[in-house]
Amino acid sequence: MKPNTHPLPADAHASVEMLYQGRWLSLCKRGRWEYVERTNPAGAVIILAVTPEDELLFVEQYRVPIQQHTIEMPAGLVGDIAAQADEGVLLAAQRELEEETGYRCQRLEFIHRGPSSSGMSTEMIAFVRAYDLEKVSAGGGDETENIIVHAVPRNEAGAWLFARAAEGYSIDPKLFAGLWFIEHENLFKAK
């Protein structure tokens, strides 16, 4: 069944009321729906990165909104640097990969784009696969971040992630989508 054959909610086209405007997010209301809107229209990017040693790159950092350390794939906002407000997803992926992990890649491939939480946010996230990685710096993020880089053998990634969860880390569920994309990349490779 096609999604456009279902009737829309009565308030789907109600006017938008701005409840709060911040630097990166706005809190909006449309009819009965309250949601967060990203102020950068290009959204975010998640980088699927595997080293030449067949290790997956994960990043660890403390996330204030959930008051917890998280394990994530390298990621970041697209167009969040003033001088690069019009950057594309691939350029942002390249920048974020090197900034967060210290790895530079020779090639990037767009995989998929979709909502991060379609009932709560307008944010769209793109998954990008990075190829031919080379270590060029320590990584760790920019001056506002304190990122720890983990290079985990691909065949141990699932067990490693669940062990971190047992230790109290928050594991970003999008990681598992990223792992699936990596393991099934033959479905997505450019022809």
Side-chain angles (χ1 to χ4, degrees), residues 20-31:
Y20 175 78
Q21 173 73 48
R23 179 176 178 195
W24 301 111
L25 301 170
S26 299
L27 178 59
C28 302
K29 184 175 182 182
R30 181 187 298 263

Side-chain angles (χ1 to χ4, degrees), residues 157-178:
W160 186 87
L161 289 168
F162 284 113
R164 299 300 76 76
E167 293 171 1
Y169 286 89
S170 174
I171 306 301
D172 184 342
K174 294 182 291 299
L175 269 174
F176 298 103

Side-chain angles (χ1 to χ4, degrees), residues 17 19 26-37 118-121:
E17 176 186 354
L19 303 175
S26 299
L27 178 59
C28 302
K29 184 175 182 182
R30 181 187 298 263
R32 62 184 157 68
W33 294 92
E34 293 177 345
Y35 60 93
V36 177
E37 185 172 80
S118 60
M120 186 198 71
S121 173

Side-chain angles (χ1 to χ4, degrees), residues 1-69:
M1 182 177 282
K2 294 182 181 179
N4 61 0
T5 62
H6 296 285
L8 297 178
D11 52 0
H13 297 295
S15 60
V16 175
E17 176 186 354
M18 180 76 60
L19 303 175
Y20 175 78
Q21 173 73 48
R23 179 176 178 195
W24 301 111
L25 301 170
S26 299
L27 178 59
C28 302
K29 184 175 182 182
R30 181 187 298 263
R32 62 184 157 68
W33 294 92
E34 293 177 345
Y35 60 93
V36 177
E37 185 172 80
R38 272 274 180 214
T39 59
N40 65 317
V45 62
I46 296 174
I47 303 104
L48 313 174
V50 182
T51 69
E53 295 78 28
D54 203 33
E55 297 170 319
L56 293 168
L57 295 181
F58 298 126
V59 294
E60 173 187 333
Q61 59 188 313
Y62 187 80
R63 293 295 195 174
V64 173
I66 63 170
Q67 297 286 290
Q68 215 171 353
H69 282 90

Side-chain angles (χ1 to χ4, degrees), residues 100-188:
E100 291 191 1
T101 70
Y103 280 86
R104 188 174 291 154
C105 65
Q106 296 300 312
R107 183 169 62 91
L108 291 162
E109 188 173 322
F110 173 85
I111 301 295
H112 180 73
R113 183 175 183 261
S116 63
S117 177
S118 60
M120 186 198 71
S121 173
T122 61
E123 178 180 62
M124 297 299 277
I125 295 178
F127 284 87
V128 171
R129 177 71 157 91
Y131 292 95
D132 305 320
L133 273 59
E134 174 189 5
K135 185 78 168 165
V136 295
S137 72
D142 65 22
E143 65 280 351
T144 68
E145 298 170 310
N146 186 18
I147 293 173
I148 298 168
V149 181
H150 297 281
V152 178
R154 186 195 313 213
N155 63 348
E156 299 172 18
W160 186 87
L161 289 168
F162 284 113
R164 299 300 76 76
E167 293 171 1
Y169 286 89
S170 174
I171 306 301
D172 184 342
K174 294 182 291 299
L175 269 174
F176 298 103
L179 292 175
W180 189 89
F181 287 139
I182 290 169
E183 293 306 316
H184 296 89
E185 67 184 337
N186 59 321
L187 299 173
F188 309 100

Side-chain angles (χ1 to χ4, degrees), residues 14 28 53 58 70 72-73 81 86 89 92 138 145 147 158-159 191:
C28 302
E53 295 78 28
F58 298 126
T70 66
E72 307 167 1
M73 286 182 161
I81 297 175
D86 62 346
V89 168
E145 298 170 310
I147 293 173
K191 307 246 188 255

